[in-house]
Amino acid sequence: MSEKTLKKLEILGEHSNPDFDHGKAAWIRKYTVRHEYDNGEFSRPYRLDVVSHVGIDAVGVVPYWRENGETFIALLHSFRPALTLREIEPSESPYLVEIVAGVMEKGEYGPEGVRHRAAEELLEEAGYISEETKIEILGSPFYVSPGVYTEKIWLCAAQVDPGARRSPRLDGSVMEEMISSFSLSLNEALDRSRSGRFADAKTEIALERLARHLNTTH
């Protein structure tokens, strides 16, 4: 345990450029800050970048159903071109296996907002229908990368009827033109996730939480 205890984070200046740093998906706030400690000392000033999603938080949801005593789920092949632009070891493919997910919108807060957004994203990205009241929240939300990002992700599950699935309506963006959904058993998904074949953290966490939620032993 550190001998120093933070009393206050003091903002000495902000250097953000709203025209440049506020993007479609996220914005960056750039500060110079220092710590004031309980013992009266101060840290040296340092640069602190804070990245916030435009929707503040996000929701991920796994649709599932039962067939012949086995649980099946649906996942997405999502289009993520930013992965190919990494400075070190860029991805060879712009596709990533993920759960259905989306950003919470204005006015969507708390469990009711989470369930509403989960139901909307299920229909938009994968074509599955679920009543908001039947969306199951899987535990507490978690931070993605708390050193910089303020976003939390809420994870949910929804039992659906695959026979009632519709064509995904998508959101009209170029990013969603090439996404597609596929289904597999929950056990197979867990095997792939645990063997490192899924590179998305929220997807791995969601699968493990869903398995515990359904008391699936695998």
Side-chain angles (χ1 to χ4, degrees):
M1 184 71 178
S2 172
E3 295 180 359
K4 295 181 178 179
T5 302
L6 181 69
K7 179 180 179 181
K8 182 175 68 175
L9 182 69
E10 183 179 2
I11 298 176
L12 302 178
E14 183 174 357
H15 320 287
S16 307
N17 182 339
D19 294 331
F20 182 78
D21 298 325
H22 198 295
K24 179 179 181 297
W27 69 89
I28 304 172
R29 288 171 290 170
K30 303 173 182 178
Y31 299 105
T32 298
V33 302
R34 69 175 179 177
H35 302 166
E36 180 182 353
Y37 300 112
D38 277 345
N39 62 7
E41 296 180 359
F42 291 88
S43 73
R44 65 181 183 277
Y46 66 96
R47 165 79 172 270
L48 177 65
D49 292 349
V50 178
V51 180
S52 298
H53 207 289
V54 293
I56 307 300
D57 290 336
V59 173
V61 55
V62 186
Y64 72 93
W65 59 93
R66 302 283 290 179
E67 288 184 16
N68 300 319
E70 189 169 10
T71 301
F72 285 80
I73 66 168
L75 296 170
L76 300 179
H77 286 294
S78 295
F79 181 62
R80 302 298 189 192
L83 304 181
T84 67
L85 301 177
R86 284 171 43 90
E87 293 186 10
I88 300 175
E89 298 181 351
S91 175
E92 295 181 359
S93 171
Y95 293 97
L96 191 69
V97 173
E98 295 183 68
I99 57 174
V100 171
V103 179
M104 294 179 70
E105 298 184 0
K106 187 176 181 180
E108 295 177 343
Y109 301 103
E112 289 185 1
V114 169
R115 292 187 176 96
H116 175 74
R117 180 48 38 200
E120 289 290 307
E121 296 298 331
L122 271 180
L123 187 58
E124 177 184 300
E125 294 189 348
Y128 291 99
I129 303 168
S130 176
E131 295 180 21
E132 293 178 21
T133 56
K134 294 184 178 180
I135 298 289
E136 306 156 88
I137 297 177
L138 302 176
S140 299
F142 58 89
Y143 291 104
V144 181
S145 183
V148 176
Y149 292 92
T150 63
E151 181 187 66
K152 286 182 179 179
I153 294 182
W154 295 76
L155 296 178
C156 305
Q159 188 166 7
V160 300
D161 177 3
R165 181 174 178 255
R166 304 176 181 176
S167 297
R169 65 188 184 194
L170 307 179
D171 65 2
S173 70
V174 175
M175 292 288 288
E176 288 197 356
E177 286 182 349
M178 290 182 285
I179 66 171
S180 60
S181 66
F182 66 100
S183 61
L184 71 171
S185 71
L186 176 57
N187 283 339
E188 175 64 20
L190 288 167
D191 282 340
R192 295 186 189 187
S193 177
R194 292 169 182 173
S195 64
R197 294 175 62 184
F198 296 160
D200 180 60
K202 68 179 180 294
T203 298
E204 181 171 345
I205 296 170
L207 294 176
E208 296 293 344
R209 288 189 181 184
L210 177 60
R212 290 198 298 269
H213 178 68
L214 299 177
N215 294 317
T216 299
T217 55
H218 179 65

